[in-house]
Amino acid sequence: MKPPNKGGRGGPDPVSELTTNRLSIYLRALAALDKAGVRAVSSQALADQFHLNAAQIRKDLAQFGEFGVRGVGYVVTDLLRHLREILGLDRQLPVAVIGAGNLGLALADYSGFRIEGFDVVALFDVAKHKIGRRSRAGVTIHDIRHFPRLAKRLGIRIAVLAVPHAQAQRVADAVVGAGIKAILSFSPGGVEVPGGVKVKRVDLTVSLESLSYYLAQGDGHES
Amino acid sequence: MKPPNKGGRGGPDPVSELTTNRLSIYLRALAALDKAGVRAVSSQALADQFHLNAAQIRKDLAQFGEFGVRGVGYVVTDLLRHLREILGLDRQLPVAVIGAGNLGLALADYSGFRIEGFDVVALFDVAKHKIGRRSRAGVTIHDIRHFPRLAKRLGIRIAVLAVPHAQAQRVADAVVGAGIKAILSFSPGGVEVPGGVKVKRVDLTVSLESLSYYLAQGDGHES
């Protein structure tokens, strides 16, 4: 199901994906505190407020340095800045969305991306009648044939695949051929990529199945 | 970030969500083998072919019974049936999508859902001009005010929230009020629900941030 490479193009990736996923959650929690005017927070208070695990927070952060101040906890703005640096969010990352159907258009305009510095700079599609049109938020739809040229010109670093499953592998090959090293795929099946390219798959069915399991357990207990 | 309850309405949930997520992956792998005409497979062959971990497969499945046959491995169709039962997929689960914007329309027509028995039976929205219209695949958009009545009539078990963040909590309250116990939320923020209701959140930004981290590591090694 997963692509055959484990990522890590320039060397071993020292931190698991589960850890980086948790760093994303901490980032979101700290941003909320920052917005609310909170200046410092202990790992315990952070954990209590956002339903996280305090020991896990300390362990995760310790992998990247000494961020806590004894008796004070974490200084919110400092830790926010460090987390953004660690996650590579201290610069804009231009993103292209391939496939200008409902899903592609929704992703191009998804407000959550913009908040954290992901900048959807272009949509791509094969359908002639879509080319030149724009998403509601104003992202232009380009001809997929121009991807290599535009990827270079716009500095695209991440390609989001929102194409039908039957086209997913061909599109993945094309974006990898254009030098893209990071792909977020919404295709229900997997795509194969060469080593040095990382694919992250969002499998919406897995999420629904976890809810189905929960409901099945509940039904069992009721009957 | 997570809702305050840990799920488990009728009793303790004995299996972690990471396990059920892996069961979903095994299900997908076995369905692919079944389609290819494979009748039996060992945990090792399954692991090799789909980039999984053989020991983990054996451990996960052992929690639910004895499925392997010595010297043969797993009988594909049998294990498929067992996994579907475990995940509660041996019956149709009617799903409603709330929010008929691009994302909601994309989710209503998402082919991956249909494959595994999730049946999107209705879309809901507040916008008068959308009500009565249909998604491309033919799912009708209803007035959100009729949710309680239609949820009962259509037997809706899962609500998918594809509404703007500012509306997410209000909509979550409304669907919980109508008796829904399982919610899949695409809102960039969390929603709070009472105990006995499970929320699964798809945070698209977390996936992009994991790619950002990967790119940052690569850039670091290159510089």
Side-chain angles (χ1 to χ4, degrees), chain A residues 96-196:
Chain A
V97 175
I98 324 285
N102 282 323
L103 182 60
L105 289 168
L107 293 169
D109 292 352
Y110 183 68
S111 61
F113 289 165
R114 252 159 251 278
I115 295 164
E116 283 305 338
F118 297 102
D119 194 13
V120 179
V121 293
L123 275 153
F124 290 88
D125 207 291
V126 289
K128 286 272 174 287
H129 68 280
K130 290 184 182 172
I131 291 159
R133 297 177 70 172
R134 288 165 185 268
S135 75
R136 262 180 256 184
V139 181
T140 301
I141 304 167
H142 300 276
D143 190 326
I144 185 74
R145 288 180 305 170
H146 299 150
F147 184 83
R149 188 164 50 80
L150 279 168
K152 201 163 286 174
R153 200 212 294 165
L154 300 171
I156 290 165
R157 301 296 307 275
I158 298 176
V160 177
L161 306 193
V163 297
H165 178 46
Q167 269 91 66
Q169 186 61 54
R170 205 180 338 150
V171 171
D173 293 345
V175 302
V176 169
I180 299 297
K181 304 286 184 201
I183 294 174
L184 181 64
S185 172
F186 285 85
S187 171
V191 293
E192 301 269 320
V193 294

Side-chain angles (χ1 to χ4, degrees), chain B residues 151-206:
Chain B
K152 201 163 286 174
R153 200 211 295 165
L154 300 171
I156 290 165
R157 301 296 307 274
I158 298 177
V160 176
L161 306 194
V163 297
H165 177 46
Q167 269 91 67
Q169 186 61 53
R170 204 179 339 149
V171 171
D173 294 345
V175 302
V176 169
I180 299 296
K181 304 287 185 204
I183 294 173
L184 181 65
S185 172
F186 285 84
S187 171
V191 293
E192 302 269 319
V193 294
V197 178
K198 187 166 177 77
V199 177
K200 181 97 183 166
R201 217 175 117 200
V202 179
D203 189 328
L204 301 172
T205 315
V206 168

Side-chain angles (χ1 to χ4, degrees), chain A residues 1-2 8-9 24 28 50-51 86-88 91 103 106 116 157 196 198 209 212-214 219 222, chain B residues 1-2 8-9 24 50-51 86-88 91 93 102-103 106 116 157 196 198 209 212-214 219 222:
Chain A
M1 300 278 111
K2 276 194 195 162
R9 87 174 188 259
S24 288
R28 215 83 71 244
F50 294 94
H51 316 289
I86 292 165
L87 290 168
R91 53 189 178 161
L103 182 60
E116 283 305 338
R157 301 296 307 275
K198 188 166 175 78
E209 283 173 2
S212 168
Y213 174 77
Y214 174 74
D219 292 347
E222 276 171 1
Chain B
M1 299 277 106
K2 277 194 192 163
R9 85 174 190 257
S24 288
F50 294 94
H51 315 290
I86 293 166
L87 290 167
R91 53 194 178 156
L93 275 179
N102 282 323
L103 182 60
E116 282 306 338
R157 301 296 307 274
K198 187 166 177 77
E209 283 174 2
S212 168
Y213 174 77
Y214 173 74
D219 292 347
E222 276 171 359

Side-chain angles (χ1 to χ4, degrees), chain A residues 40-42 66-75 78:
Chain A
V41 68
S42 67
E66 270 285 0
F67 300 119
V69 178
R70 195 179 295 271
V72 174
Y74 303 109
V75 176
D78 287 355

